[in-house]
Amino acid sequence: MAATILILYISKLNKIIHFPDFDKSIPVKLFPLPLIYVGNHISGLSSTSKLSLPMFTVLRKFTIPLTLLLEIIILGKRYPLSIFISVFAIVLGAFIAAGSDLSFNLEGYTFVLLNDIFTAANGVYMKQKMDPKELGKYGVLFYNACFMVVPTAIISFSTGDFQQATHFQHWTNFLFVFQFLLSCLLGFLLMYSTVLCSHYNSALTTTVVGAIKNISIAYIGMLIGGDYIFSMLNFIGLNICMAGGLRYSFLTLRGKSKSTQSGDEENALLESKC
C-alpha cells in the first residue's frame, strides 16, 4: 500500500498521470471498495496457509461464477450461453477436484470461499468505480491504498504481526531488503495490471485470465510443493478447469476480433460515402 501511494503520488506531482485531488466526496465514491480490498487480502493469506497450493488454486475458481453473477446484478451486463457453458465447465472441474481432495480442511475451505466472494466483489466494484468522470483507474488505486493503510497497520499491530516483522532478524541483510522492496514494487505492478485488464475488458475476463494462469501453478505444485495428494478425479477436475478457461479465452478473443472487424467495415463504409 505504501509503495502504491508513493509511486502514484510522485507520478501525479510530475504530471505523468492524473487523478482527482482529495475532497469529502471521495470516500463516498469509493465505498465499499477499501473494505473489500482488505477482506480480500486477509482471507487470501489465511486460506493459503491452510491449504495445499493445488487445492487453493482449484477452489479459487469459484471466483469466476461469483464475478459473472455480480456483473449481471451490479453492472447489468449480459453474456451469451457459450460463456455460461465455459464458466460451468470451470466450476464443474473445481467441484470434481475439490470433491476428491484427500486433505480436507474446513477452516481453509471457509477462508478460500470468503476470498472468492471478496475477489469477485473487488473486481466488479473496481470496474464500476473506474469511470473517468469519477475517480479513474489511478484514483481508485491511490485512494484505496490511502484509506486502508492505517487501519491495516492497526490490525497488524493488534494481532502481533507488526511486532514479529520489526523483530525479524534479516532486516540488516541487503539481499533480503532488496527482495522485499522488489516484492512491494511487483505488488503495485500486479494491482495496476489487474486494473488495466478490467478497464479494457471486464471483471470476468480478468478473473478467468488469472484462473488460467493459476492452472500452471497447480501443475507445478503437484511436482514441487510436496503437499499434493494425487487422485485420478482430482487430476481430471484440474484438466476440465483448464479446458473451460481456454474455451472462455477463445470466445472472448473471437468476440473482440469480430467487434474490431465490424468497426473497421463501418469506418471503411463511411470513408467511401465521403
Side-chain angles (χ1 to χ4, degrees):
M1 293 179 190
T4 299
I5 294 169
L6 185 63
I7 293 169
L8 292 181
Y9 187 70
I10 291 174
S11 300
K12 178 180 170 65
L13 288 178
N14 288 279
K15 299 183 179 179
I16 299 172
I17 62 171
H18 172 75
F19 54 85
D21 294 327
F22 180 79
D23 61 62
K24 62 182 180 181
S25 67
I26 295 286
V28 178
K29 290 178 180 178
L30 198 60
F31 186 82
L33 200 54
L35 298 178
I36 295 171
Y37 173 75
V38 171
N40 185 26
H41 280 287
I42 293 174
S43 58
L45 290 171
S46 299
S47 55
T48 304
S49 65
K50 297 181 184 299
L51 293 173
S52 67
L53 187 59
M55 285 316 305
F56 172 77
T57 304
V58 167
L59 292 172
R60 290 283 288 131
K61 300 297 176 294
F62 289 98
T63 303
I64 299 172
L66 289 171
T67 303
L68 177 65
L69 180 63
L70 288 177
E71 280 200 327
I72 293 172
I73 295 172
I74 297 173
L75 302 182
K77 298 195 69 171
R78 294 293 179 267
Y79 288 99
L81 179 61
S82 55
I83 293 294
F84 280 94
I85 293 173
S86 299
V87 169
F88 176 75
I90 297 171
V91 178
L92 176 63
F95 263 115
I96 294 173
S100 62
D101 182 18
L102 302 179
S103 55
F104 181 81
N105 184 312
L106 178 61
E107 189 178 0
Y109 275 45
T110 301
F111 274 119
V112 78
L113 291 176
L114 282 174
N115 188 226
D116 291 341
I117 295 170
F118 281 124
T119 302
N122 186 69
V124 173
Y125 275 107
M126 187 170 286
K127 177 70 174 179
Q128 185 186 52
K129 307 292 184 182
M130 279 191 296
D131 188 341
K133 297 177 182 177
E134 297 291 334
L135 296 175
K137 54 182 179 292
Y138 297 113
V140 167
L141 278 174
F142 181 77
Y143 289 114
N144 210 15
C146 282
F147 290 144
M148 294 316 300
V149 65
V150 174
T152 306
I154 293 172
I155 293 172
S156 177
F157 188 83
S158 63
T159 56
D161 286 351
F162 185 81
Q163 292 87 331
Q164 281 186 301
T166 54
H167 289 94
F168 187 62
Q169 59 182 350
H170 291 292
W171 284 117
T172 55
N173 185 326
F174 173 78
L175 182 60
F176 168 76
V177 173
F178 172 75
Q179 292 175 338
F180 178 80
L181 294 175
L182 183 61
S183 72
C184 293
L185 175 62
L186 292 175
F188 163 74
L189 291 177
L190 174 62
M191 288 190 294
Y192 179 59
S193 61
T194 302
V195 167
L196 275 184
C197 186
S198 298
H199 176 71
Y200 289 110
N201 300 286
S202 68
L204 181 61
T205 297
T206 303
T207 305
V208 171
V209 168
I212 296 173
K213 176 263 299 178
N214 286 337
I215 286 291
S216 62
I217 297 176
Y219 288 128
I220 292 170
M222 292 178 187
L223 303 173
I224 298 175
D227 56 354
Y228 177 72
I229 303 174
F230 178 83
S231 75
M232 185 56 67
L233 281 178
N234 186 279
F235 186 72
I236 291 172
L238 285 174
N239 285 282
I240 293 174
C241 280
M242 186 62 165
L246 292 174
R247 175 64 177 168
Y248 176 91
S249 298
F250 171 76
L251 293 170
T252 303
L253 290 173
R254 188 176 66 175
K256 286 186 176 295
S257 177
K258 287 182 178 180
S259 299
T260 303
Q261 288 176 2
S262 63
D264 292 340
E265 290 173 0
E266 289 177 4
N267 292 334
L269 184 61
L270 288 173
E271 288 174 3
S272 64
K273 287 181 179 180
C274 294

